[in-house]
Amino acid sequence: MRLIENAILNNCKVLPGDVLKVDHFLNHQIDVNLIYEGAKDFYSAFADKGVTKILTVESSGIGIACLSAVHFGVPVLYAKKQFGSNSDDKLYSVPCHSYTKGIDYNMSVSSKYLTPEDKILIIDDFLAGGNALRSLIELCKVAGAEVVGCGVVIEKKYQGGGDAVREMGYDVISLAKISAMSTENGIEFCD
Amino acid sequence: MRLIENAILNNCKVLPGDVLKVDHFLNHQIDVNLIYEGAKDFYSAFADKGVTKILTVESSGIGIACLSAVHFGVPVLYAKKQFGSNSDDKLYSVPCHSYTKGIDYNMSVSSKYLTPEDKILIIDDFLAGGNALRSLIELCKVAGAEVVGCGVVIEKKYQGGGDAVREMGYDVISLAKISAMSTENGIEFCD
């Protein structure tokens, strides 16, 4: 997806600590036209999989998941890191480690909205070590829902998380796949 | 907007503590088709205002803001409750009190993405006491951006927050306006 790669090349900064700053189009300001257009690639890849719902995790996955879901015409379910005290539902919860924030947390969904009848497309903004993606897959397992595919906007392929998930047998699509990245040499994409 | 009122009547629960549970279509699972359709009312109301950007606050506003932004063709900016340690930007921050969660927090945006050139449409899921909306307006003031309108999915009109913001001179549109609500008598809408 040349569109997303161009957006990264034109405006993104590589920060120390292997951090790619994409807050101008992905995880603070959202370039809605760009992501809506880019998400058509998710639809092309998974249109025939009978997707019933898109699953993501708050916060930065939500916008991308919704813009993807318009193409599929299905609801979005976002896993929460914290449920309000007004929740009386049975929850499914799995642990997750955030690489960027250096914290452990639980991601949870209400059991009402993730069921064995669901065919789930998982969508997220970033795929690096793959922790969030594996936790979302685990949530589906716990609920008995089927994961029919995974779509991420940016994959840092050199961190291996995407390939690990592919080796588990899941189909993972990335709109931009980074092969190498450094403050000195900038960003390189996979062919 | 009959669509949203029907979604509320068909599936929502009123919980003790004046809480309306809308997690089946608005703030956990998102009924993307419904919200995308409903958001056309925001476009009808504000299409001629020269909106350059939609501003909301994480997490539950993001999906609605993105689905609205598709109609306007503009980016979304979401205020964050916490910025990662990798942020080196100048931030605008304002305090906010969350009625539902009973906590105080700061909402912040990068100064790069909210400027005196912006004509801002503020979008959020809920409007009750109006704390979040007033803080988002305050963020725009601090940045010198103009607020050209506000759109919320559900307004609890009897709590007065919406009318207080209207009295400040802002145009506030709600897709469903609740006039009264209780566990005993259910939900009533304004005419």
Side-chain angles (χ1 to χ4, degrees):
Chain A
M1 164 51 76
R2 243 356 115 187
L3 274 178
I4 304 291
E5 292 183 4
N6 286 341
I8 293 171
L9 287 179
N10 287 338
N11 279 294
C12 290
K13 252 197 330 202
V14 181
L15 301 182
D18 198 44
V19 171
L20 181 65
K21 199 149 182 258
V22 290
D23 63 357
H24 69 291
F25 82 97
L26 196 60
N27 55 19
H28 179 29
Q29 181 167 262
I30 301 172
D31 185 332
V32 168
N33 294 337
L34 176 73
I35 301 298
Y36 180 79
E37 199 58 33
K40 288 179 180 169
D41 281 12
F42 297 143
Y43 186 69
S44 304
F46 301 116
D48 62 348
K49 300 294 183 192
V51 173
T52 61
K53 203 167 280 186
I54 289 178
L55 177 66
T56 190
V57 57
E58 65 179 352
S59 290
S60 51
I62 299 174
I64 301 147
C66 284
L67 294 169
S68 303
V70 175
H71 301 300
F72 287 87
V74 300
V76 162
L77 178 66
Y78 61 92
K80 295 191 177 192
K81 294 171 183 170
Q82 207 168 6
F83 263 79
S85 54
N86 62 24
S87 178
D88 56 354
D89 293 334
K90 182 187 161 198
L91 302 179
Y92 297 131
S93 294
V94 298
C96 188
H97 176 76
S98 166
Y99 170 84
T100 328
K101 294 185 181 161
I103 54 164
D104 292 299
Y105 64 95
N106 283 307
M107 55 168 80
S108 309
V109 297
S110 163
S111 62
K112 279 195 292 190
Y113 305 125
L114 193 59
T115 74
E117 284 72 46
D118 277 315
K119 289 174 181 285
I120 297 294
L121 172 62
I122 297 174
I123 295 281
D124 208 0
D125 56 343
F126 258 104
L127 171 53
N131 288 331
L133 187 51
R134 278 194 301 268
S135 292
L136 288 166
I137 289 172
E138 185 60 28
L139 267 181
C140 292
K141 270 193 197 158
V142 171
E146 182 188 352
V147 176
V148 298
C150 309
V152 299
V153 180
I154 301 174
E155 177 178 354
K156 289 160 137 183
K157 197 164 190 309
Y158 59 96
Q159 288 200 15
D163 287 338
V165 172
R166 289 181 187 101
E167 277 161 28
M168 290 161 65
Y170 296 99
D171 196 0
V172 182
I173 299 287
S174 313
L175 303 187
K177 221 180 258 184
I178 297 175
S179 59
M181 187 180 95
S182 67
T183 47
E184 301 79 21
N185 302 318
I187 300 158
E188 285 170 44
F189 295 102
C190 301
D191 290 330
Chain B
M1 166 52 75
R2 239 3 109 184
L3 273 178
I4 304 291
E5 292 183 4
N6 285 340
I8 294 172
L9 286 179
N10 287 339
N11 279 295
C12 291
K13 248 190 346 195
V14 181
L15 300 181
D18 197 44
V19 171
L20 181 64
K21 197 148 181 262
V22 289
D23 63 357
H24 69 291
F25 82 97
L26 195 60
N27 55 20
H28 179 30
Q29 181 167 261
I30 301 172
D31 185 333
V32 167
N33 294 336
L34 177 72
I35 301 298
Y36 181 77
E37 198 59 32
K40 288 179 180 170
D41 281 13
F42 297 143
Y43 186 68
S44 303
F46 301 115
D48 62 347
K49 300 294 183 192
V51 173
T52 61
K53 203 168 280 185
I54 289 179
L55 177 68
T56 189
V57 58
E58 66 178 352
S59 291
S60 51
I62 299 174
I64 302 146
C66 284
L67 294 169
S68 303
V70 175
H71 301 301
F72 288 87
V74 300
V76 162
L77 178 67
Y78 61 93
K80 295 192 177 193
K81 294 170 184 171
Q82 208 168 5
F83 264 79
S85 53
N86 62 23
S87 179
D88 56 353
D89 293 334
K90 182 186 160 197
L91 301 180
Y92 297 132
S93 293
V94 299
C96 187
H97 176 76
S98 166
Y99 170 84
T100 327
K101 295 184 179 160
I103 53 163
D104 292 298
Y105 64 96
N106 282 307
M107 55 169 80
S108 309
V109 296
S110 163
S111 63
K112 280 195 292 191
Y113 306 126
L114 194 59
T115 75
E117 284 72 46
D118 279 315
K119 290 175 179 285
I120 297 293
L121 172 61
I122 296 174
I123 294 282
D124 208 0
D125 57 343
F126 259 103
L127 171 54
N131 288 331
L133 187 50
R134 277 194 300 268
S135 293
L136 287 166
I137 291 171
E138 185 61 28
L139 267 181
C140 292
K141 270 192 199 161
V142 170
E146 182 187 353
V147 176
V148 298
C150 310
V152 299
V153 180
I154 301 175
E155 177 178 354
K156 291 159 137 183
K157 195 163 190 313
Y158 59 96
Q159 286 198 17
D163 287 338
V165 172
R166 289 182 186 99
E167 277 161 30
M168 291 161 64
Y170 296 100
D171 196 1
V172 182
I173 299 286
S174 314
L175 303 187
K177 221 180 255 183
I178 297 175
S179 59
M181 188 180 95
S182 67
T183 48
E184 301 80 20
N185 303 318
I187 300 158
E188 286 170 44
F189 295 102
C190 302
D191 289 330

